Amino acid sequence: MKKIAIDAMGGENAPQAIVEAALQALPELGDKELLLFGDEKQLKALVPSDKLGNGIEIIPTTEVILDEDEPVKAIRTKKDASMVVAARYVKEGKADALLSLGNTGALLSCGIFIIGRMKGVARPGLMPTLPALNSSTGFNMLDVGANAQSKPEYLVKWAQMANAYVEKIKGIDHPRVALLNNGAEYDKGDDLHKESYQLLKETDLNFIGNIEGNELLQGKADIVVTDGFTGNASLKTLEGTTRTLLSLLKSSLLENGIIAKLGALMIKNALQDMRSKFDVDVYGGAVLLGLEHPVVKGHGNSKKRTIYYTIKQVSDILDKDLIANFKIALGEGENHD
């Protein structure tokens, strides 16, 4: 039986939204068990007694890593924190994957110092799935902030693992891989991007060249690889712009009199279609690629619906044995097909 370790105290809506999502997802997970790490009193008040020992187990912890905590110091001093204990369970083989909505830096530190990196991976990369036009599955971008500084060889390994993820999880053969840069030409960008371009070109990936920031949401690539600094800035820009535009559209339609409201009613179906295309909840969380076991980071402000899809995402990762596929992609594992 596979077990998913969930940091039930991480995130703004913990633990209630996490427990509710776990209860909703549980019937769809097959023979998997969910281990909830956190304050025993709070969790027992939220988990029905008939679920305890029947798909859900509570692992009591007494500490929580906060967003303002310094990551490495926190995992070393708060040894009974829900995130840290959950990571130890994965390391010790008592759980098979880790999910947390908590402090990103602390989760990365747990991944590196407790769970451990895969052979040949110097730095893990953080990879979310983002919406794109003309695509029902969106696109994957990494690194989006796990590494402030990157090297060309990091980008290549991230692209290789992302390629395996998209093939196995999304069922896309030979996904299109692009490099985020400030121009389409091969010689654009700084040394990092020029060297990364050449290395990616030499792989057996379906590398389509550079992609610019204004093309990210157009669905031109299935995977966009970049350094962590650029990726994080791009991700925050996309998130902020999308929220601002949707908010502006809503206020323009609802706060400008009866004619605007009638117009909104007439285009209701079109607006719902647009909303569904940018429904990021269904994509789940961001995967930390390059660790010995699956680790997924949910957004800190995620609500029940997003967490539900993220739990199903982790379950799918286990079903598809992604870690073994990552090792094959990096030339470190054996292909038994």
Side-chain angles (χ1 to χ4, degrees), residues 98-309:
L98 170 61
L99 166 61
S100 177
L101 282 65
N103 184 311
T104 302
L107 185 61
L108 176 63
S109 297
C110 282
I112 293 174
F113 298 115
I114 298 177
I115 294 174
R117 293 167 291 177
M118 287 193 301
K119 182 180 177 181
V121 176
R123 297 289 298 180
L126 187 62
M127 182 189 74
T129 302
L130 302 173
L133 297 174
N134 305 315
S135 173
S136 60
T137 58
F139 73 99
N140 290 87
M141 184 165 74
L142 73 166
D143 176 33
V144 297
N147 304 277
Q149 295 181 329
S150 305
K151 296 180 180 180
E153 52 267 31
Y154 296 178
L155 273 66
V156 173
K157 290 186 183 295
W158 296 337
Q160 291 170 328
M161 289 185 286
N163 188 79
Y165 180 92
V166 172
E167 286 188 337
K168 296 297 180 180
I169 298 297
K170 295 184 178 180
I172 299 175
D173 291 328
H174 308 296
R176 299 161 297 169
V177 179
L179 175 67
L180 182 59
N181 210 334
N182 65 340
E185 298 83 3
Y186 75 93
D187 57 349
K188 282 286 187 177
D190 56 12
D191 290 342
L192 170 65
H193 289 81
K194 291 177 183 177
E195 292 177 30
S196 297
Y197 185 103
Q198 293 302 321
L199 289 178
L200 287 165
K201 187 179 177 181
E202 294 169 4
T203 68
D204 58 1
L205 298 171
N206 181 17
F207 179 56
I208 62 172
N210 289 328
I211 190 171
E212 297 184 73
N214 62 334
E215 300 174 303
L216 286 174
L217 300 182
Q218 294 179 15
K220 292 187 175 182
D222 302 299
I223 298 164
V224 176
V225 63
T226 184
D227 62 284
F229 181 87
T230 303
N232 186 263
S234 299
L235 176 65
K236 297 294 175 58
T237 300
L238 290 175
E239 290 177 338
T241 302
T242 301
R243 282 196 299 266
T244 300
L245 288 176
L246 291 176
S247 176
L248 181 61
L249 179 61
K250 181 179 179 180
S251 62
S252 296
L253 292 173
L254 300 181
E255 298 175 9
N256 283 295
I258 188 65
I259 294 178
K261 290 181 180 180
L262 287 172
L265 186 62
M266 293 175 66
I267 63 171
K268 180 180 178 181
N269 290 337
L271 291 174
Q272 288 179 337
D273 181 62
M274 182 180 72
R275 181 179 179 182
S276 67
K277 285 185 182 296
F278 286 86
D279 183 8
V280 296
D281 287 356
V282 301
Y283 295 139
V287 184
L288 266 172
L289 301 182
L291 300 175
E292 276 291 338
H293 300 278
V295 175
V296 175
K297 170 70 173 70
H299 204 291
N301 64 5
S302 295
K303 295 181 173 60
K304 172 186 172 181
R305 183 170 182 264
T306 310
I307 303 167
Y308 158 77
Y309 280 110

Side-chain angles (χ1 to χ4, degrees), residues 305-319:
R305 183 170 182 264
T306 310
I307 303 167
Y308 158 77
Y309 280 110
T310 306
I311 293 172
K312 291 184 64 177
Q313 175 193 16
V314 177
S315 176
D316 201 14
I317 288 172
L318 290 173
D319 287 340

Side-chain angles (χ1 to χ4, degrees), residues 3-5 35 37 86 89-98 293:
K3 298 183 179 183
I4 301 174
L35 308 183
F37 294 77
Y89 263 60
V90 175
K91 172 65 176 180
E92 294 166 4
K94 294 187 286 187
D96 301 283
L98 170 61
H293 300 278

Side-chain angles (χ1 to χ4, degrees), residues 325-337:
N325 281 284
F326 291 159
K327 291 180 179 180
I328 292 169
L330 297 174
E332 301 292 344
E334 297 182 8
N335 194 336
H336 299 288
D337 293 340

